[in-house]
Amino acid sequence: MKLNIALLAGDGIGPEVIDQAVKVSDAIAKKFNHEISWHPALTGAAAIDAVGDPYPEETHEICANSDAVLFGAIGHPRFDNDPSAKVRPEQGLLKMRKKLGLFANVRPTFTFPSLIDKSPLKKERIEGTDLVFLRELTGGIYFGKKGRENGGDVAYDHCVYSREEVQRLAKKGFEMAMSRGKKLCCVDKANVLETSRLWRETVQDMEKDYPEVEVSYEFVDAVAMRLVQWPNSYDVLITENLFGDILTDEASVISGSMGLMPSASVGSEVSLFEPIHGSYPQAAGKNIANPLATVLSAAMMFETGFGLYEEGAAIRAVVNKSLSEGVVTEDLADGGKSYGTSEVGDWLAENI
Ligand code: IPM
Ligand code: MN
C-alpha cells in the first residue's frame, strides 16, 4: 500500500517522540511491503515563530491531502504565562480539528500486565480495564462565542451543541460499543445544563436502533469518581468536549503513565493520530520523554486509519515486549536502568 502521511511534530517533546514513531512505522512498512511518504509540516509555537500562524494554510493543505496525520504535541510555556498573547499554539490545534472536521476523539484506556504496579490505583481495582472515551472535539464550550464585557471585568464562554453534532458522535459511540463490550455510557450534566439535556434526549432517541447495546446515563461528577473506583466497569463512554478533555486525563493515570496512551481523532475525511500527553516542555531536547504513546498512536493509524490490523498488532506486540524486557524510559524505570527516547525507538524498530 502507498501511504501519504502528514507529519506534524509540533512543540516540546513532539519532535523527539514523533521521530520514534517514524522509525517504527518505517520498520513496519519494510516488513509488510508498504511505501510511506512522510510530509512534514509546521504547527504550534514552531509555526508561530516561523510564519506567525499556529496552523498555517500550507499545513492544512498537506493534512487535507494526506491519508492520515501523525501529530506530536502543541504548547509552549512562553504563551501559558501570558494571558494577553494574541496568538497561542493551542489555537492551531483547535483550528486544525475544526478545519479537518475531526469531530470524534477516540481515547482508549487499557492496562499493561507488566506495568500494573506502576498505577497509583490498587491492582485489584484496575485489572482488566479496557475502556474507550469518545470525546466530541469540534463543538461545545471550546468553540462557542467567547468574550469580555464591562470593560473586561466580566468574561463568558458559551457552550453550544446541535442535535446533529450529538447524533454523529453518538452514532460512532454505538457502533464502537457494538464492536466491543456492547455497553455505552452517556456522560453529561443533565441535572443542570441544557446542552446536556439535548445530549441525553438525542442518545435516548437513538437507543432503539441499537437494541443490543446496554446504555447508561451518568453525571460527569459521578463518572469522575467511578472512573477511579471501578474503571473496569466501563466499556465505551461518550461525552462533550470539555468533560472529555478532563476525564481522559484522569483516565490516563489508570495505565500507570500518561506517556502510554494514544488517541485518534476522526471525522468524515482524513484522521489524525496523536499521543494524549502534551508538549512536556521541561523534558524537551533531553531524550527522556516516553515515545510509546506516539508509537501506539501509529499503531492506531495502521489499524483504524488504513485498516491494516496485522501491522498495528505487530507494533503493539513489540511495545509489550519492550515493557516486559524493561527497555523503557525513566518514567517507567522505577529508578532502575532506563533508556533514552531514541534508544527505545531504535530497539522497537530493530525488534520489528
Ligand atoms: C488535549 C489538549 C488540548 C485540549 C489543548 C492543548 C488545547 O489538552 O488534546 O486534550 O484541551 O483539547
Ligand atoms: Mn487535554
Side-chain angles (χ1 to χ4, degrees), residues 74 90 93-94 97 105 107 135 137 142 241 245 248-249 274 276:
I74 232 170
E90 290 80 2
L93 190 56
L94 302 184
R97 289 171 177 169
N105 188 211
R107 294 190 165 184
R135 165 188 174 195
L137 206 55
Y142 273 59
N241 205 342
D245 178 47
T248 54
D249 264 28
E274 61 170 316
I276 89 149

Side-chain angles (χ1 to χ4, degrees), residues 188-204:
D188 61 36
K189 188 74 186 170
N191 51 346
V192 179
L193 303 176
E194 200 54 41
T195 40
S196 284
R197 286 192 274 271
L198 176 68
W199 270 76
R200 203 172 266 220
E201 184 184 303
T202 307
V203 177
Q204 276 168 348

Side-chain angles (χ1 to χ4, degrees), residues 146-217:
K146 54 182 86 244
R148 296 277 181 119
E149 285 172 353
N150 279 19
D153 291 342
V154 174
Y156 59 86
D157 298 275
H158 285 175
C159 182
V160 181
Y161 270 110
S162 69
R163 195 178 298 276
E164 196 244 320
E165 284 175 309
V166 182
Q167 274 165 347
R168 64 184 185 180
L169 192 274
K171 182 165 182 283
K172 288 216 183 288
F174 276 109
E175 287 167 358
M176 189 168 282
M178 282 302 290
S179 71
R180 297 174 37 107
K182 298 198 168 64
K183 284 203 299 189
L184 183 75
C185 176
C186 173
V187 183
D188 61 36
K189 188 74 186 170
N191 51 346
V192 179
L193 303 176
E194 200 54 41
T195 40
S196 284
R197 286 192 274 271
L198 176 68
W199 270 76
R200 203 172 266 220
E201 184 184 303
T202 307
V203 177
Q204 276 168 348
D205 282 346
M206 294 171 78
E207 272 189 48
K208 60 178 183 318
D209 300 329
Y210 304 88
E212 283 176 58
V213 178
E214 182 195 320
V215 186
S216 64
Y217 298 86

Side-chain angles (χ1 to χ4, degrees), residues 35 117 203 212 218 224 308:
E35 204 181 300
D117 297 317
V203 177
E212 283 176 58
E218 291 179 37
L308 299 172

Side-chain angles (χ1 to χ4, degrees), residues 286-305:
K286 294 190 180 152
N287 197 35
I288 56 169
N290 188 341
L292 294 185
T294 315
V295 169
L296 289 169
S297 300
M300 281 182 98
M301 174 178 77
F302 280 102
E303 288 166 347
T304 60

Side-chain angles (χ1 to χ4, degrees), residues 52-89:
D53 180 346
Y55 185 61
E57 192 51 36
E58 196 192 330
T59 298
H60 178 63
E61 288 301 314
I62 292 174
C63 293
N65 292 312
S66 64
D67 300 316
V69 181
L70 190 61
F71 182 81
I74 232 170
H76 196 285
R78 171 154 59 93
F79 298 89
D80 294 345
N81 302 326
D82 176 11
S84 68
K86 290 266 174 309
V87 197
R88 322 183 68 82

Side-chain angles (χ1 to χ4, degrees), residues 93 95 97 112 121 146 228 256 258 272 274 318 348:
L93 190 56
K95 194 168 148 195
R97 289 171 177 169
F112 298 84
L121 304 180
K146 54 182 86 244
V228 285
M258 211 189 187
L272 176 142
E274 61 170 316
V318 79
L348 295 171

